[in-house]
Amino acid sequence: MEISKKYFLPTTKDEIEKLGWEQPDIILFTGDAYVDHPSFGAAVIGRVLQNAGYKVALVPQPNWRDDLRDFKKLGVPRLFFGVSAGAMDSMVNHYTANRRLRHTDAYTPGNKHGMRPDYPTIVYSTILKELFPDIPVIAGGIEASLRRVSHYDYWQNKLKPSILLESKADMLCYGMGEKTMLELADRLAAGENINEITNIPQTVFFSNEIPSSEDIVLNSYENCLKDKTLQSQNFRKVEEESNKYNGKVIWQQHGDRMVKINPMHPPMSQEEIDAIYSLPFTRIPHPRYKGKVIPAYEMIRHSVTLHRGCFGGCAFCTISAHQGKFISSRSKKSILKEVDQITKMNDFKGYISDLGGPSANMYALEGQNKELCKKCVKPSCLHPVICRNLDLDHSKLLDIYKSVDANKKIKKAFIGSGVRYDLAMAPTNNPKIQAANQEYISELIKNHVSGRLKVAPEHTSDKVLNIMRKPSFSLFKKFKGIFDGINKKYNLNQQLIPYFISSHPGCDLNDMAELAADTKDLNFHLEQVQDFTPTPMTLASEIFYSGIHPYTGEKVYTATQEKEKLAQRRMFFWYKPEEINAIKQDLKKINRFDILKKLFPLNLKKYKNNTFK
């Protein structure tokens, strides 16, 4: 066991035999390459189980096309098979917003496409149940997590049942799975049957129990197929319960079977999350890849995750649905220990690529009155206004930055994760906190930007931003003023790189035309942009599917046709010669001669009657 703890989880029969094992306790299958790093879910679950004394083996990217030898090569586990599609949803990984096939895969050696199927959760689980029907199969990871109830699938353009139904898995573990998988392993090891285990948090399974009066029973899958408004109602209940400190049990009927969804664990304590990051990760890819570049690893190899969770509740984001909205932060000691480990890596050149998390500056932020947080049902602590109970003090994060900078082996520590500038700029009644937050912004811009600071205003229209659960664009303008001022004061030549989304629910071509004009006024030639891609279990996806806002019941316009989506996206690139003619035609069709004038002022004579409305 000591060899395995120090190096890698075994991935071949030879590696298992060298450890002297007769049989693994648990075999994990993942759609990603095996990188033994705390940013890769399969590695984390494997190390947590291993640390508890279990013999854990791992099969990365098994071949599902041949005689299925990869699914048989390690034999049968004593307790269960674990299945994960990987650290990224497979369909987002495989396809663009226009449903076109991508030709690369950042989680595969050599960036090679085609090393995992669509929906690996379904494919891997089905194969394992057919080969080994008596061995429990537990599905987990973000793909399974976000499909735990009926959900809209953009790539098939239809409402799908819980992935539990299609995968044939015995149980689904949603969210961050360390505590759930460990308890499950302990109970199976104690002799319990998988069908008898019905009360572990964050598990989903078919049940013959009768829902209690305290439970939530959703509209059935079949009824949701008949009426999209019922699916919309379901989403609100699921989102609210997923973001509660103590949620309720949720049920949904699928045919003659009932899916039971147990509530999430309370947020991890600092001691619990520190324990995970103290496990003996090698922090490198398995030697089987012989030095081939794995792009996703290259991005995070010298990064440090400070916390989990996000209380932003953005309409298009899946983080809170998977990690929850409450923040679990590591201790300063744990963070600095990992930084020191990075400095000892052979390829370390003095630069930390990121000190971050889902949102870089939510570290150590929480409600001042915890009892109020435990009663709260709001999916966002920042929208429509920042919660008065939220502690906004950035001083602990500021201390982390300065402590990392004090390490003599560190030349520079960058912040690569997204920064919520609205959070750092929020006014408070506490002068000490106000001063700390102002210092944080200054410290961030002066010392932790790698030439380009990426932030996400997402849109310029307040109407669209309200649906997105994002702050007004006026706040971004204010932040840009601060950014420019600090650059000028310290003679820095840094860029502010804003992210924007087109075709989001509530956004039409007029909104995109105004976005083009607004960003031109700010002298931006946009680069970091994307067309909205509906992903399961987000507010925006539910609106895209049903046309209804789950919280207001109001109809919301959404661009769903490829032609209009492309027209919206084109507006980002008004400065590209190859796009100008098409953009001009689009603007004329919607009678926005005022925007034509702003975007292309040198071509006035070519416009209708030389006049502008």
Side-chain angles (χ1 to χ4, degrees):
M1 180 65 72
E2 287 305 311
I3 294 174
S4 178
K5 281 186 176 182
K6 184 177 180 182
Y7 296 106
F8 292 88
L9 302 175
T11 64
T12 66
K13 195 70 173 176
D14 286 346
E15 290 171 14
I16 287 175
E17 290 174 354
K18 287 179 181 178
L19 294 171
W21 297 357
E22 291 185 9
Q23 177 188 35
D25 295 320
I26 298 153
I27 301 177
L28 304 177
F29 286 79
T30 175
D32 291 338
Y34 175 26
V35 179
D36 191 42
H37 187 283
S39 292
F40 286 73
V44 173
I45 297 299
R47 289 295 188 186
V48 167
L49 292 168
Q50 179 199 56
N51 187 63
Y54 293 104
K55 299 182 177 78
V56 185
L58 193 149
V59 181
Q61 299 188 316
N63 189 341
W64 74 100
R65 297 184 178 102
D66 60 6
D67 60 2
L68 307 181
R69 68 187 67 182
D70 283 349
F71 292 87
K72 307 171 191 175
K73 66 182 181 181
L74 302 187
V76 177
R78 182 172 68 93
L79 299 177
F80 65 85
F81 290 109
V83 167
S84 169
M88 185 177 180
D89 187 286
S90 69
M91 303 307 284
V92 177
N93 180 291
H94 283 177
Y95 300 95
T96 69
N98 292 320
R99 300 188 180 95
R100 291 189 174 91
L101 187 67
R102 300 184 193 275
H103 299 292
T104 58
D105 184 340
Y107 291 86
T108 298
N111 210 11
K112 185 178 178 182
H113 175 79
M115 295 301 290
R116 78 182 90 206
D118 290 351
Y119 309 104
T121 306
I122 296 173
V123 176
Y124 296 169
S125 297
T126 299
I127 290 171
L128 289 169
K129 288 308 292 184
E130 289 176 352
L131 291 174
F132 311 105
D134 298 329
I135 306 298
V137 172
I138 315 301
I142 194 164
E143 180 171 273
S145 182
L146 301 180
R147 291 169 168 80
R148 56 190 184 260
V149 294
S150 63
H151 56 280
Y152 171 66
D153 187 286
Y154 174 67
W155 297 274
Q156 296 185 37
N157 192 28
K158 64 181 181 181
L159 192 70
K160 302 275 286 180
S162 166
I163 198 170
L164 189 66
L165 191 73
E166 294 188 291
S167 70
K168 299 181 176 63
D170 296 276
M171 183 178 283
L172 187 157
C173 168
Y174 73 89
M176 306 299 275
E178 297 96 339
K179 294 172 73 172
T180 301
M181 296 300 283
L182 183 56
E183 182 177 350
L184 178 62
D186 287 346
R187 291 177 64 170
L188 288 172
E192 289 189 60
N193 186 284
I194 186 67
N195 297 318
E196 299 170 345
I197 300 174
T198 62
N199 60 351
I200 299 179
Q202 293 180 210
T203 55
V204 184
F205 48 90
F206 288 112
S207 175
N208 294 321
E209 301 171 71
I210 304 300
S212 78
S213 59
E214 297 297 315
D215 297 345
I216 291 176
V217 179
L218 302 175
N219 299 301
S220 71
Y221 169 60
E222 286 73 20
N223 284 339
C224 289
L225 282 172
K226 298 173 187 175
D227 186 348
K228 292 182 178 181
T229 62
L230 299 181
Q231 171 66 19
S232 180
Q233 292 169 11
N234 280 0
F235 171 79
R236 177 173 178 174
K237 293 175 183 177
V238 174
E239 183 179 50
E240 287 180 342
E241 293 305 315
S242 299
N243 284 299
K244 280 184 179 178
Y245 197 94
N246 294 298
K248 295 181 179 180
V249 174
I250 296 174
W251 298 79
Q252 187 179 31
Q253 188 168 355
H254 289 67
D256 58 356
R257 309 175 78 184
M258 288 287 279
V259 173
K260 181 181 180 182
I261 303 106
N262 283 324
M264 293 185 78
H265 280 286
M268 275 191 176
S269 67
Q270 186 173 90
E271 291 74 22
E272 287 174 327
I273 196 168
D274 279 359
I276 290 168
Y277 283 89
S278 70
L279 296 174
F281 297 99
T282 63
R283 299 187 65 87
I284 58 177
H286 192 280
R288 62 189 284 146
Y289 303 122
K290 299 178 181 178
K292 289 183 180 178
V293 172
I294 301 172
Y297 169 66
E298 296 300 312
M299 290 178 63
I300 53 84
R301 66 194 305 165
H302 299 140
S303 68
V304 182
T305 299
L306 308 185
H307 63 278
R308 290 180 177 178
C310 180
F311 49 72
C314 296
F316 47 82
C317 183
T318 61
I319 292 172
S320 64
H322 188 67
Q323 295 191 11
K325 75 174 182 180
F326 295 100
I327 305 300
S328 295
S329 298
R330 297 170 63 185
S331 68
K332 177 180 176 181
K333 180 180 179 181
S334 171
I335 293 166
L336 295 184
K337 181 180 178 181
E338 186 175 356
V339 169
D340 189 58
Q341 289 173 339
I342 292 172
T343 65
K344 296 174 182 176
M345 294 177 70
N346 292 335
D347 62 346
F348 184 67
K349 306 297 183 184
Y351 299 96
I352 299 291
S353 61
D354 186 24
L355 293 172
S359 285
N361 57 319
M362 288 186 184
Y363 175 77
L365 300 187
E366 56 188 0
Q368 299 170 77
N369 182 337
K370 306 296 190 300
E371 294 307 310
L372 288 178
C373 292
K374 291 178 181 180
K375 298 174 184 177
C376 180
V377 299
K378 291 180 61 178
S380 174
C381 302
L382 303 180
H383 185 271
V385 294
I386 294 177
C387 178
R388 288 181 293 178
N389 186 45
L390 183 62
D391 179 5
L392 299 172
D393 190 355
H394 282 55
S395 59
K396 290 182 181 178
L397 181 56
L398 192 58
D399 179 50
I400 295 292
Y401 289 0
K402 291 182 177 181
S403 297
V404 171
D405 288 346
N407 187 319
K408 294 181 180 179
K409 297 177 182 177
I410 304 293
K411 296 177 182 177
K412 202 86 167 176
F414 301 118
I415 311 305
S417 301
V419 174
R420 286 297 301 243
Y421 53 82
D422 54 330
L423 190 58
M425 293 167 62
T428 74
N429 295 322
N430 186 320
K432 185 177 179 181
I433 294 177
Q434 196 78 22
N437 292 1
Q438 289 174 355
E439 184 183 356
Y440 167 79
I441 293 173
S442 180
E443 172 72 13
L444 170 72
I445 297 170
K446 277 195 303 179
N447 298 321
H448 299 281
V449 175
S450 59
R452 295 153 65 93
L453 178 62
K454 297 176 181 178
V455 294
E458 308 294 7
H459 214 286
T460 61
S461 164
D462 284 350
K463 174 196 71 175
V464 178
L465 288 166
N466 184 53
I467 294 174
M468 288 179 164
R469 294 177 178 157
K470 294 285 286 186
S472 171
F473 189 64
S474 61
L475 202 61
F476 170 78
K477 291 180 178 179
K478 184 177 179 181
F479 179 74
K480 183 180 184 301
I482 295 171
F483 181 87
D484 292 342
I486 291 173
N487 271 273
K488 184 176 181 180
K489 180 178 179 180
Y490 295 99
N491 196 30
L492 302 171
N493 184 28
Q494 299 178 150
Q495 287 181 287
L496 189 61
I497 307 297
Y499 281 73
F500 289 96
I501 297 176
S502 59
S503 300
H504 190 277
C507 176
D508 59 26
L509 196 54
N510 274 289
D511 296 313
M512 289 303 300
E514 290 170 4
L515 182 152
D518 290 340
T519 53
K520 183 188 179 187
D521 285 346
L522 294 173
N523 201 29
F524 284 120
H525 286 193
L526 301 180
E527 304 170 20
Q528 301 293 332
V529 299
Q530 63 176 336
D531 195 40
F532 170 66
T533 303
T535 51
M537 206 168 283
T538 65
L539 173 65
S541 297
E542 295 297 333
I543 297 173
F544 181 94
Y545 169 67
S546 69
I548 299 168
H549 196 297
Y551 285 81
T552 66
E554 297 175 352
K555 291 184 178 180
V556 178
Y557 169 79
T558 305
T560 58
Q561 300 302 310
E562 183 174 342
K563 185 176 180 181
E564 182 173 1
K565 287 167 69 69
L566 289 173
Q568 286 205 26
R569 191 176 189 278
R570 243 191 326 258
M571 289 294 172
F572 288 133
F573 306 113
W574 57 267
Y575 58 89
K576 292 187 175 182
E578 65 271 23
E579 301 288 2
I580 290 176
N581 286 335
I583 291 172
K584 287 178 180 178
Q585 293 304 314
D586 290 336
L587 290 172
K588 290 176 184 179
K589 287 177 184 177
I590 60 173
N591 207 31
R592 292 307 302 264
F593 293 95
D594 57 327
I595 303 294
L596 270 172
K597 184 177 181 180
K598 289 182 179 180
L599 295 181
F600 312 112
L602 299 181
N603 296 314
L604 304 188
K605 293 181 180 180
K606 296 182 181 180
Y607 301 148
K608 184 179 178 181
N609 300 325
N610 296 337
T611 61
F612 298 90
K613 299 180 182 179

